[in-house]
Amino acid sequence: MRHVVVISTGGTIASRWQGDGYAAEAAGQEVLEAGAVPEDVEVRVVDLFTVNSSRLTTDHQLRLLHAVHDALADPEVDGVVVTHGTDTLEESAFFVDLFHGDRRPVVFTGAQQPLDAADGDAAGNLYDALLTAVSGRDIGAVIVFAGQVFAARGTVKRHTVDVRAFGAPDGQPLGRVEFGRVSWARRQPRRAPLPLPERDTAVAPRVDIVMHHSDADAVLFDAAVAAGARGIVLVGTGAGNANPEIADAVRRAVAGGVKVAVSTRVAAGAVAPLYTGGGAVDLAAAGALLTGTLKPGQARIAVLATLLAVRDAEEADVELRRVLDTAPGPAPASELYLVDGVGH
């Protein structure tokens, strides 16, 4: 018998019609009972909270992080499944992944259709997630949706309502769930985890996202600094570009101790120092860090997680650079990949 802890947090997978819209209300056991559990798998449900994921806060994500670590403190547990709303699933999954060093997987899943939909996707996604939780080793935190297994890092919600909601714009799935088994396609590089932050953080650091666009000025960027942001993700155009006024604002913010990271509003591809005139070349020279292929939501999580994990400013700079590094090194060998012949 294999053991999985399911941590329920709400979302569409736990939602029912409220008369004028859907809202998360179902407990984790109700979600579990809506479908089948794989053979020889025993499930323990933890009802952590029940909210639409657009309402999530850093406090929610910290509670989830510690609930995952509490579950994995039991050596009898083979893996953890988190049921989560799709709006911010990519953020929470990456947040947990940054602190996850255990060989056992943490599998995030959800649904695009509510729990009581006759042809809904909740039951299938949860079944696939449970299979993945007892099959994977050394895969970190992953997202299982519509029969595909994606690494948490880099995976985004790419469609508002379609059941094939998630994908990695710059990569392929780690595997697929077909005919009652998980077929693995490639290895997953693992980074050393960040130090686990305190369970009760009195005031979480403010990290804002500001988007560049034609005719943009530094008003919103400066407003974020004035509001007390300790980190800002600048969403550039193209390969991470803005203009000279914003580059000057970045320089002032960095000089004042604010962590600035540059992502892009483009769906696929990496930020790259190609252009001056306020482009990524000037933004990097002003002290901003380029986020590679991380899109804005996950870039913000990278900054937030680093600030939560490391209090010393200089050490935080080093850790943030490491988190943003796009080349984490070779993945360790694991029983999973040796068995499936991946990576030989």
Side-chain angles (χ1 to χ4, degrees), residues 3-334:
H3 302 274
V4 176
V5 175
V6 172
I7 301 175
S8 176
T9 69
T12 299
I13 196 170
S15 291
R16 294 191 177 97
W17 183 250
Q18 304 298 308
D20 56 356
Y22 291 97
E25 67 166 21
Q29 191 63 39
E30 294 179 82
V31 175
L32 187 68
E33 290 172 354
V37 174
E39 188 177 356
D40 296 326
V41 174
E42 184 176 88
V43 176
R44 176 169 65 87
V45 175
V46 174
D47 282 303
L48 192 61
F49 43 78
T50 307
V51 297
N52 295 349
S53 72
S54 58
R55 296 175 53 194
L56 283 195
T57 65
T58 301
D59 178 66
H60 286 113
Q61 290 167 327
L62 281 168
R63 288 168 59 192
L64 173 58
L65 174 65
H66 283 282
V68 167
H69 280 253
D70 290 345
L72 292 173
D74 182 352
E76 297 299 315
V77 170
D78 293 286
V80 174
V81 169
V82 179
T83 58
H84 197 290
T86 59
D87 281 2
T88 55
L89 187 150
E90 68 203 54
E91 296 176 39
S92 294
F94 186 47
F95 185 76
V96 169
D97 189 56
L98 288 171
F99 297 97
H100 184 56
D102 200 290
R103 295 190 65 203
R104 295 167 291 176
V106 181
V107 183
F108 282 74
T109 195
Q112 288 284 76
Q113 297 169 340
L115 183 61
D116 52 5
D119 58 346
D121 57 337
N125 284 344
L126 183 53
Y127 186 92
D128 291 350
L130 290 168
L131 275 180
T132 305
V134 296
S135 303
R137 286 295 180 271
D138 293 329
I139 58 173
V142 297
I143 295 170
V144 171
F145 223 90
Q148 294 183 303
V149 184
F150 290 98
R153 184 187 182 98
T155 298
V156 297
K157 187 175 182 180
R158 61 185 183 182
H159 198 285
T160 57
V161 294
D162 192 87
V163 293
R164 299 181 71 86
F166 287 88
D170 301 290
Q172 297 298 314
L174 297 180
R176 298 177 185 276
V177 187
E178 301 170 305
F179 305 108
R181 74 181 298 268
V182 184
S183 300
W184 301 96
R186 64 183 180 90
R187 301 175 73 183
Q188 165 62 20
R190 301 289 305 278
R191 288 166 169 76
L194 288 167
L196 193 67
E198 296 177 3
R199 189 176 293 268
D200 297 314
T201 300
V203 180
R206 182 185 182 108
V207 180
D208 288 323
I209 298 177
V210 177
M211 179 176 284
H212 179 60
H213 51 83
S214 58
D215 204 33
D217 56 27
V219 170
L220 294 179
F221 190 97
D222 288 340
V225 175
R230 291 181 56 197
I232 299 175
V233 174
L234 174 63
V235 183
T237 53
N241 304 308
N243 58 36
E245 183 179 352
I246 291 178
D248 287 340
V250 168
R251 187 174 294 105
R252 293 192 302 271
V254 171
V258 179
K259 311 296 183 196
V260 179
V262 180
S263 183
T264 174
R265 70 186 199 184
V266 180
V271 173
L274 301 176
Y275 296 98
T276 59
V281 170
D282 294 342
L283 296 172
L289 298 180
L290 307 185
T291 64
T293 58
L294 284 183
K295 301 312 169 193
Q298 290 195 339
R300 178 186 172 273
I301 289 297
V303 177
L304 173 65
T306 304
L307 290 171
L308 285 166
V310 183
R311 299 303 176 91
D312 180 82
E314 291 186 7
E315 290 182 13
D317 282 339
V318 173
E319 284 291 343
L320 182 55
R321 290 178 188 276
R322 182 180 68 81
V323 166
L324 295 176
D325 183 10
T326 57
S334 74

